[in-house]
Amino acid sequence: MPAPLDVIIRKHVAPMAKQEGVPRKGRYFRLEGEHGHTLLYFDTFNLYQTELCFEVGFALLPLTYWDFTCQLYEGGGAPTIPGRESIFLYSWLMPPDEWSYRPAEKPPYTFRRRWSLNDLGDLDSLGAALAQRVQEEAFPRMRQLLDLEFALAELRTPTFATQLALASDAARELVLMLDTLDPERVEELLADPVQPRNALFEGWVRERVARRTAER
């Protein structure tokens, strides 16, 4: 018997995503751009007060950051396409109050962002609300994040996304914009005093820049 969340995705989210031109694989919906991918994903929780509890997130996976994370795999075990290990910026798709596990919770949210359902006979109502939120909020923002300049602006002054990757603003900007920066700007960002020294990271940056400039 399919899990309730999979029923909701198959019946409500997947048909809408197909109309929107967003491919699906299991519980993942992916948009691909020139410089990166964006991903919609689901995480479930087992909580005794509810029959169904899950979170919905969407994220930017820059191809540059994916390339860097692939350096951390040994023995050829790197993923063939960007996955959740390459999440760079992310945001939660917040549920309406009636579908929130704890609607009265104050920021920073832990349980407020969880979609919750006690009565599994009401899957269609939750599913319709979820599909509407995905269509009206998640997919438009996923498309926006595929634009490097928009992603950079969101990185510098967040309006909805949370920064996850790397230790400093300079390193984040460097990775996001690496394929568009001239070598001098790259060195300026590498020399940023806030950026911890990391030989693997710096070697990867310089190698990628050298490869790009050699191909011109």
Side-chain angles (χ1 to χ4, degrees):
M1 182 176 180
L5 178 57
D6 292 319
V7 173
I8 289 173
I9 292 173
R10 174 182 54 80
K11 188 173 181 180
H12 294 277
V13 183
M16 178 274 298
K18 186 175 182 180
Q19 293 178 351
E20 293 282 330
V22 183
R24 168 199 175 200
K25 185 173 182 180
R27 291 183 178 180
Y28 293 92
F29 295 82
R30 181 186 301 267
L31 287 169
E32 298 184 15
E34 181 181 359
H35 301 286
H37 296 187
T38 49
L39 198 68
L40 181 81
Y41 54 92
F42 299 80
D43 290 315
T44 56
F45 300 87
N46 294 319
L47 299 175
Y48 69 93
Q49 293 180 341
T50 184
E51 294 291 338
L52 177 62
C53 188
F54 62 94
E55 291 177 349
V56 188
F58 57 94
L60 170 64
L61 321 173
L63 295 182
T64 46
Y65 190 56
W66 173 56
D67 184 50
F68 174 65
T69 58
C70 285
Q71 313 301 307
L72 308 179
Y73 286 81
E74 297 181 358
T80 56
I81 59 172
R84 290 177 64 166
E85 70 286 333
S86 304
I87 287 177
F88 189 78
L89 294 173
Y90 71 93
S91 185
W92 306 109
L93 186 67
M94 302 295 287
D97 287 352
E98 62 267 34
W99 303 116
S100 171
Y101 180 68
R102 192 172 294 171
E105 183 186 34
K106 304 300 182 183
Y109 299 126
T110 298
F111 297 102
R112 171 71 181 86
R113 66 184 185 230
R114 294 182 178 178
W115 296 68
S116 175
L117 180 64
N118 289 313
D119 180 6
L120 292 184
D122 204 14
L123 288 179
D124 285 340
S125 296
L126 186 151
L130 173 61
Q132 182 176 3
R133 282 284 167 102
V134 171
Q135 183 178 36
E136 294 179 354
E137 183 175 340
F139 285 171
R141 287 177 168 175
M142 288 166 64
R143 291 188 172 95
Q144 287 178 313
L145 286 171
L146 289 175
D147 179 84
L148 275 184
E149 293 300 330
F150 180 92
L152 180 61
E154 186 64 23
L155 185 68
R156 290 172 171 168
T157 309
T159 60
F160 65 84
T162 298
Q163 301 174 10
L164 177 69
L166 305 171
S168 75
D169 291 341
R172 296 184 187 106
E173 180 175 342
L174 179 60
V175 168
L176 181 63
M177 306 301 292
L178 183 56
D179 288 346
T180 67
L181 298 173
D182 60 55
E184 292 76 15
R185 179 56 178 161
V186 169
E187 291 300 326
E188 288 177 6
L189 290 170
L190 283 176
D192 189 291
V194 180
Q195 168 60 29
R197 308 305 295 184
N198 183 309
L200 177 64
F201 177 74
E202 293 179 16
W204 167 78
V205 167
R206 292 190 172 103
E207 179 183 352
R208 189 174 178 101
V209 172
R211 186 167 62 245
R212 169 166 57 91
T213 55
E215 292 172 353
R216 288 178 177 173

